[in-house]
Amino acid sequence: MLEPSHNNELPVIPGKRYFTIGEVAELCAVKAHVLRYWEQEFPQLSPVKRRGNRRYYQRSDVITIRQIRSLLYDQGYTIGGAKQKLSSHEVKDDTSQYKQLIRQMITELEEVLEVLGAPIK
């Protein structure tokens, strides 16, 4: 059974180039074996594989995984329905995706302001 998200607020994606499968699992609130399964089901997911067949995901992969997670867990799509929605590029027009990206950017900018010592309004 699919696990519903208890908290729609996922952690901020750090400004790194590559993420391990464990880091992505934490950032997207899914288990590593689920990510490996999704790689088989969704052609949009193609992490870089390096020595020892270790997976390294890029920021765009993390955003795609969050979209898949939202479609499956929050919006109730099946795997087939989520595949169809992603492949038809409808997700790119989805306002919830833009809201998530804007929230992410605001959080990151607030962190930068804190580092710079400026008061946050």
Side-chain angles (χ1 to χ4, degrees), residues 51-74:
R51 55 183 174 243
N53 219 17
R54 289 185 52 122
R55 291 165 169 80
Y56 291 94
Y57 296 85
Q58 295 183 26
R59 184 181 192 90
S60 61
D61 293 322
V62 176
I63 291 171
T64 301
I65 291 166
R66 285 183 171 193
Q67 290 173 351
I68 293 169
R69 182 188 183 281
S70 175
L71 289 170
L72 296 175
Y73 294 178
D74 300 331

Side-chain angles (χ1 to χ4, degrees), residues 27-89:
L27 289 170
C28 298
V30 294
K31 304 228 184 247
H33 70 271
V34 173
L35 292 173
R36 289 190 290 272
Y37 173 70
W38 286 355
E39 285 175 29
Q40 295 172 353
E41 294 296 322
F42 295 93
Q44 296 88 344
L45 291 180
S46 56
V48 177
K49 290 188 181 174
R50 294 205 178 135
R51 55 183 174 243
N53 219 17
R54 289 185 52 122
R55 291 165 169 80
Y56 291 94
Y57 296 85
Q58 295 183 26
R59 184 181 192 90
S60 61
D61 293 322
V62 176
I63 291 171
T64 301
I65 291 166
R66 285 183 171 193
Q67 290 173 351
I68 293 169
R69 182 188 183 281
S70 175
L71 289 170
L72 296 175
Y73 294 178
D74 300 331
Q75 298 176 42
Y77 280 80
T78 62
I79 294 280
K83 275 188 201 178
Q84 199 171 26
K85 183 128 173 134
L86 281 175
S87 65
S88 68
H89 302 291

Side-chain angles (χ1 to χ4, degrees), residues 15-30:
K16 293 171 50 174
R17 185 173 173 109
Y18 293 104
F19 301 90
T20 65
I21 194 166
E23 291 171 327
V24 175
E26 282 185 32
L27 289 170
C28 298
V30 294

